[in-house]
Amino acid sequence: MSELYPSIAQCAVAAAALKVLLFPAYKSTDFEVHRNWLAITHSSPPRRWYFENNSEWTLDYPPFFAYFEWILSHFAQFADREILRLENLGYESWQTVFFQRATVIWTELVLAYALQKYISTSPKSSKPGAHAIAVSILLSPALLIIDHIHFQYNGFLYGVLILSLVFARKQSTMLLSAVLFAALLCLKHIYLYLAPAYFVYLLRGYCLDQKSLLRIRFGNCVKLALGLSGVFGIAFGPFVYWGQLDQLLARLFPFSRGLCHAYWAPNIWAMYSFSDRVLIHVAPTFGLKVDQGAVNSLTRGFVGDTSFAVLPDISPKVTFITTILFQLPSLMKLFMDMSWDNFVGAVTLCGYASFLFGWHVHEKAILLVIVPFSLVALKDRRYLGAFRPLAVAGHVSLFPLLFTAAEFPVKTVYTIFWLVLFILVLFIQKPIQYLAKPRVSDDQQIWAIEATDEIFTKYEDYLHRLDFYKQKGFVCELTGTTGLTYFEALRSEVCLTLFAVTNKFDTLDDEFPHALREPILRRVQFSQIPRIDNLVDNLFEEFRLDFYPGENVTVKLVDGERLSGQIREKSKFPELISAQGILERKAFARYFVRLTDGSGQEALVDEERITRDRASFTKQKLRLFIKSTVSREQRNHGPWIVKPSIAEQYRITTQIPSHLKNENLKAQKKTYLSARRHDFDGDIMNLYSSVGRLPALKPKASKSKNAMEESARLEYQRALTGNPNFVRVPQNIGPHPLDHYGGEQFVMPMNNGYPPIAAKAVPRPQAPPPIKYPIEDLEVPPLNDGKHRPLLKFLSEDTPLPTFISEGNGSGIMMESVGPLLETWNTLNVYCEVFQLDSFTFDDYIEALQFSSDEIQCELLIEIHCAVLKRLVSDSNEKTGHVLVPLPELAAEDSEDESRAPSVEPSPPPEPEVKRTTRSSVAKSEAAELEASAKAQQASIIDGKIHRAGEIDQSDGPNNWIMRTRKRDFGEGKWIVILVGLLNQLSGSPRLKKSCDEVLFHLAPLDQEAVPETAISQYSSLNINLRVKALQIICMLSLETKAIRAYMDECTAQMTEQRKERIEVQRNRKAAVEELQVLEDERRVLEPEIGPTSPHLELDEHGNSKMDIDDVYESQLIETEDEEPHKGRSLRRANDRALQRKKRQGEEKERKSKAAAEKAKKPSKQARDLEKIVKKIEAVKDKIRTYEEEVIALENGLRESDCPRTRVLGKDRFWNRYYWMERNAMPYAGLPDSSTADAGYANGCLWVQGPDDMERVGFIELNEAENNLYKQVFNMGVPDRKMLEEGATHVFTARQWAYYDDPEQVDELIRWLDVKGVREIRLKKELQAQRDKICLHMEKRKEYLSKEDDKKSEPTEPVTRVSTRTKTYFDPTGYRCLAWKNTTAMEENGHLHSEPKPPSYNKKTAKATQKSVEPEGRQTRATNKSAKGPSRQGTRYDF
């Protein structure tokens, strides 16, 4: 099959390369299902396979697939033995992913072999079509989506199915086909849907005689029975022997899963379920009975059977009977007319009926229809017409399987490419291209094919062409019949055309309206619509309501009577459009119709009262008419042309317009592309260029040589200028009014009366366009005004510039620890509801990590560690208590003997002698001890061991860190021992080894005894940098737990609901604002009639209220008139005039008040109407305020629910990032009922982070050439500009952090930002929007810290501080962190995390008691009651 390219093997290799690239893609739960089956079949004996329930993913495939998994498990142990452990639920190492995805690719070789077998067994004439079909199945996007991303083994299984169908082609291999299908049923029982077709086909074609149905082939029956019995015996025999058949069948057919799958397959029952949901809402209107117990029923896979509220419930028996009934027609046809094509069609229809009416059908079952249908799609054009929409809909219905954003481009682009390539290209029959006639001499011998009018000068070419025409691979264009030779197809088309032309085709002649033929043919002539389907649709819509004289129609009279008639005359009236562009009258037509009832009357009717017989004008008849009368040129954009004999009959011109001729279209396209590339000739030609208009080229004509050259020259000039009206320009042409440039007159030189054709030249450079801001920030010219960014503050002792003294000097915090401090504080506060912790301020958090005392315990420090550790290991009281995160294996010990060797207990040190010492003697003794300890540690490090964490973890026998965590044994510092054991195990990860070893080097030193007390005592001397490093490791580990992920998913769902609700509230607010504007207009209309009233509110463009300026001015004027007259120096009689004016105003005011009082007694109708309008305005204003408050609450809920990410405010010109931590998924001041809620803030600082490495290298630290270019433009490099504009403080990398804590610094920063830059304009907008809140919480922080400083500055006993080599003791007086209490844990658990659970604890009682003490419930984020978005003003998230 060398002529078939590409081969199946080549396609398989190319597809495998693509599928390897998809190894890291999304994996569904089926990936874990098959991994668990590998573990079950490898770790358990076969009799336990269908009873194993360690996971919810139990084995529910037939035994052959279990054997298949058992075989794969023997290879899996070489990839990663952890795959085969039953307790390794959710195990997804890279080795596991690689192995399982590779097995899908390797087993798909069965599909490639089956498709190659299908091609080789196809008839020679249909091999190209079979090859196209095989390639389309091998490269199917459905298999790519389901198997290689979602994860299953469908390619392997469908390979077995296709192989079975191929072997069913011949009588000699029909038994093998039956055996393969039986094996397929034992691999996956979903193929039972296709079993009826196999049963009928084998019965009719293998068990019964072909000539007589009453004659049975007993030998074939015995062989078939033995073959099938052998297959099913091997599969189910052992389980029947063990008495497990009932258990196996219960696993294979779990009818309790429900009628519909979790993802609704697009079948009848999905529409049935949807209809039931719709009827629930309309049932009260129609008086239908609603089952309230079934209203909340879900159609999901593992929630039990589905109940319908209005429609009757569907049982498995109903689906089975319905499926069989719809399968019967295809089975009956197969039994009466047994052929392989009918067999494949029956298989397809059986799968389709089962997909539409089956019980609990998966969306992936559509492959049962598409794959077998593909094998016969090219057998008949009618099959292909049905296959195309099915393939498109079937593949698109699989898209919900991949719901992640990363896979969206893969599934869409690949599916569209596949559909275009196979459905629209390879599966389309191409027209015959006839050979051109060669030049022959009079005495030359030739061979001719009369039907095609082709001539050959070589006999071999003639035979080759004739053999091509005799292949049965041609299709009749009119009927769609396939499998014809060229001469048979041509004869069919000629006969149909002849019948149509000579009026011998009865159906066409009698039923298709004669009156429509000429208008339709004139409309089709020279049409460029490429597809006949689209052409038929357009013509049908255009002529469906249009009628022509001579056509028989039906007239509907006013009284409803219908009369037959014939159109005699037609008048069309165009539409009328006013000068303002308003449509005043639509186009319409009127008809004179002669009634054929014998009266001879005529009626003038509109087009609405006239119809034609629907059967006389249909799309099918229109299509047949067009095919028989019209042909199309075989080129791109070729026009449809009426056949010459038909055109002559209806006097339709057949001369193709010049603009549609092939050579002119090519010239226009070439000229257009040249103009698009600005390929102009010199400045003169550029003056006349017309890019947007194509030149109208003249058709070719027969002229003399000189005339042709002159014409070509003209056409060339016109093509260059794009001017279709190019004419000869007189020599004495005057100056053009626009030919002045710079005060000089431009005169175009002429060449024999024509503009010269200038040589190609570079266009005149244009002036640079004005800069449109904002632009790249570093491209904005520096101002050099001496202003710089406000000085940064640093939390750490070390700073990016050593000369700068930090505010954190003496804190012990290093710069590398600031990022982890912020990260861990943010994690613990964002997920405090999951960890069951009260929120706490950042300053208290730092103080807690620095706190160390033997007398007093810091509850904040202990609770955060215990809360995080509890999330890593489930409680021992739970049935499935185990580690909830993936952990690396512990490093193997050097030898078993060494691990079991008894440790030599160090002898207790002798009691020190009581003697008098001096300061120098103490220093000497300490130095000696330090030297001995350093030597011991150095010796151990040389041996490869740097700590004794493993020994401390195993010091209590089997009670290692996991067991301690399960038992919640955190008291008396045991949480530190758990932390040591966990870090020791995490040190097995190369990524975490360095950090873990650094912490464990201090917690489990080599020179001290390997007992838990050592770790507990060493933690008190652990500095804050190592403490936060250990806490960061376990916090990041906790983010991988299901509890955190479920919390994220819940918050994401809540955000979706909040966004929808916000849109609805904003829509209601907009409607209320519009209503308010209408009411204000009504009020303004009524007010002049009543007279001036009190100042009123108006709405601005945003619907906000504002005071009327005139009314305010009048009120101010009245207030000034009430003042005393001016008693200073004035004009003569000025005071007298003022007193008189005041007297007149008082009288006028009194008169108006009396008139108003009289009107109040008898209010007019206008006054009453105005009063009603005013009341309505106030009510609408209250409604708008309510909506605005709801929007604010929803936006705050959205902010507090946005927990998956930490959002940055923006970046400045030097790519420094700015964070306001309170903005991210937490209340601005922490939980309002926290024990330290009186602080009024959470972090209280604006944090600045340096640029990351990519930004730093790409934009700041440029290479030498780019830096020199930047210096040429701005007279300084980017680093120099950074040092100049940022002032004395800088952050250079993403590991460096600084902060602002003063509102004045925030204002200075806002003023420093330049709105001309794209980054700083966004940052400035964010800072201005959040400025008030940021400054408020900065002030709160200052107030909170100043109170504590005042407490510490009060006279107290001197602080006692004793320093030794291992411990540092602090006086706890005045420490803020000690005021923090974990009330959340006390409320929900009845005890702290570090305390054991009380035996008699009742959570409900504890909550009731807590509520009785605290009248207001805790305010958290995870509630969505009372139509409010979820925020931290509701009940606690319950895990």
Side-chain angles (χ1 to χ4, degrees), residues 833-1002:
E833 299 169 26
V834 184
F835 292 124
Q836 295 178 328
L837 290 171
D838 270 23
S839 60
F840 45 88
T841 66
F842 184 66
D843 298 288
D844 291 352
Y845 175 63
I846 294 177
E847 192 177 59
L849 289 176
Q850 292 174 325
F851 183 82
S852 180
S853 173
D854 285 341
E855 290 80 12
I856 299 177
Q857 292 185 343
C858 179
E859 185 174 324
L860 175 58
L861 178 66
I862 297 173
E863 284 294 296
I864 58 179
H865 284 86
C866 295
V868 176
L869 291 172
K870 286 175 67 174
R871 285 296 162 203
L872 304 180
V873 181
S874 60
D875 193 348
S876 59
N877 295 327
E878 299 180 9
K879 295 181 180 179
T880 59
H882 56 275
V883 180
L884 301 177
V885 291
L887 296 173
E889 288 189 355
L890 286 170
E893 297 293 339
D894 295 339
S895 65
E896 186 177 356
D897 297 337
E898 292 180 3
S899 63
R900 294 184 178 181
S903 59
V904 179
E905 295 290 338
S907 58
E911 294 291 333
E913 297 180 4
V914 180
K915 61 178 182 178
R916 188 175 175 182
T917 61
T918 62
R919 185 175 302 175
S920 60
S921 63
V922 171
K924 289 179 181 179
S925 62
E926 290 183 353
E929 292 178 2
L930 289 173
E931 183 178 359
S933 174
K935 289 181 179 179
Q937 292 191 18
Q938 184 67 25
S940 299
I941 293 174
I942 293 174
D943 295 337
K945 190 176 181 181
I946 62 173
H947 57 76
R948 305 183 69 179
E951 300 175 42
I952 292 178
D953 186 38
Q954 300 294 334
S955 61
D956 196 8
N959 196 23
N960 60 2
W961 74 270
I962 297 177
M963 296 304 298
R964 290 190 182 97
T965 311
R966 284 181 179 176
K967 297 177 181 178
R968 303 299 189 243
D969 185 13
F970 299 127
E972 299 179 356
K974 295 293 182 60
W975 62 271
I976 302 174
V977 182
I978 296 175
L979 180 64
V980 169
L982 174 58
L983 294 178
N984 179 54
Q985 185 159 356
L986 292 175
S987 64
S989 170
R991 182 174 59 87
L992 300 175
K993 180 174 177 56
K994 181 179 178 182
S995 300
C996 293
D997 287 346
E998 189 176 355
V999 176
L1000 296 175
F1001 181 79
H1002 291 76

Side-chain angles (χ1 to χ4, degrees), residues 123 279 294 407 410 498 563 812 848 1010 1150 1158 1195 1210 1328 1385 1403:
L279 289 175
E407 284 71 28
V410 178
L498 182 62
L563 299 175
E1150 183 179 0
E1158 292 178 358
E1195 290 178 347
Q1328 289 173 339
K1403 187 173 182 179

Side-chain angles (χ1 to χ4, degrees), residues 710-725:
E710 182 68 15
S711 175
R713 186 170 182 274
L714 285 173
E715 294 293 345
Y716 180 54
Q717 290 278 9
R718 293 173 62 185
L720 288 172
T721 60
N723 183 8
N725 298 319

Side-chain angles (χ1 to χ4, degrees), residues 587-823:
F588 67 98
R590 286 180 178 173
Y591 303 89
F592 272 108
V593 181
R594 179 183 294 109
L595 302 180
T596 57
D597 57 352
S599 62
Q601 295 181 353
E602 291 185 347
L604 178 63
V605 294
D606 294 334
E607 53 191 0
E608 291 83 4
R609 297 189 174 275
I610 188 171
T611 60
R612 66 165 61 92
D613 185 10
R614 293 183 180 180
S616 63
F617 184 66
T618 63
K619 287 187 178 181
Q620 183 178 2
K621 292 180 179 179
L622 178 59
R623 181 189 183 96
L624 182 60
F625 174 71
I626 293 174
K627 280 189 172 184
S628 61
T629 56
V630 181
S631 62
R632 183 168 177 261
E633 286 195 355
Q634 300 302 327
R635 58 182 173 89
N636 289 336
H637 307 290
W640 293 90
I641 301 175
V642 178
K643 294 180 179 180
S645 58
I646 308 296
E648 183 179 358
Q649 179 182 351
Y650 291 103
R651 298 181 298 278
I652 300 175
T653 180
T654 57
Q655 183 178 0
I656 301 177
S658 59
H659 68 281
L660 293 180
K661 290 187 176 181
N662 192 25
E663 58 272 14
N664 291 346
L665 287 175
K666 290 181 179 179
Q668 291 179 20
K669 183 178 180 181
K670 183 177 180 181
T671 307
Y672 178 73
L673 294 177
S674 176
R676 288 290 302 271
R677 291 193 299 267
H678 302 282
D679 190 12
F680 54 87
D681 289 352
D683 293 339
I684 298 175
M685 294 298 105
N686 192 32
L687 294 174
Y688 296 91
S689 64
S690 178
V691 176
R693 184 177 67 246
L694 295 175
L697 303 179
K698 292 183 178 180
K700 292 182 179 179
S702 176
K703 297 183 180 180
S704 63
K705 184 176 180 180
N706 294 335
M708 291 179 64
E709 291 178 355
E710 182 68 15
S711 175
R713 186 170 182 274
L714 285 173
E715 294 293 345
Y716 180 54
Q717 290 278 9
R718 293 173 62 185
L720 288 172
T721 60
N723 183 8
N725 298 319
F726 187 89
V727 295
R728 179 183 174 95
V729 183
Q731 287 283 5
N732 301 324
I733 186 172
H736 194 276
L738 298 179
D739 289 337
H740 293 273
Y741 183 79
E744 298 180 1
Q745 185 177 6
F746 176 80
V747 180
M748 180 185 295
M750 295 295 163
N751 182 11
N752 195 23
Y754 296 100
I757 302 174
K760 289 183 182 283
V762 179
R764 182 182 294 114
Q766 299 179 356
I771 300 176
K772 294 182 179 180
Y773 295 105
I775 61 175
E776 162 60 35
D777 297 72
L778 291 177
E779 294 180 2
V780 177
L783 297 177
N784 295 324
D785 54 356
K787 295 181 180 179
H788 57 79
R789 186 182 63 187
L791 297 179
L792 298 170
K793 295 182 180 180
F794 297 95
L795 183 66
S796 59
E797 287 190 353
D798 56 332
T799 60
L801 295 178
T803 57
F804 187 81
I805 300 177
S806 169
E807 287 75 8
N809 190 25
S811 64
I813 302 174
M814 304 304 294
M815 178 62 77
E816 63 179 8
S817 300
V818 178
L821 281 169
L822 290 169
E823 184 180 13

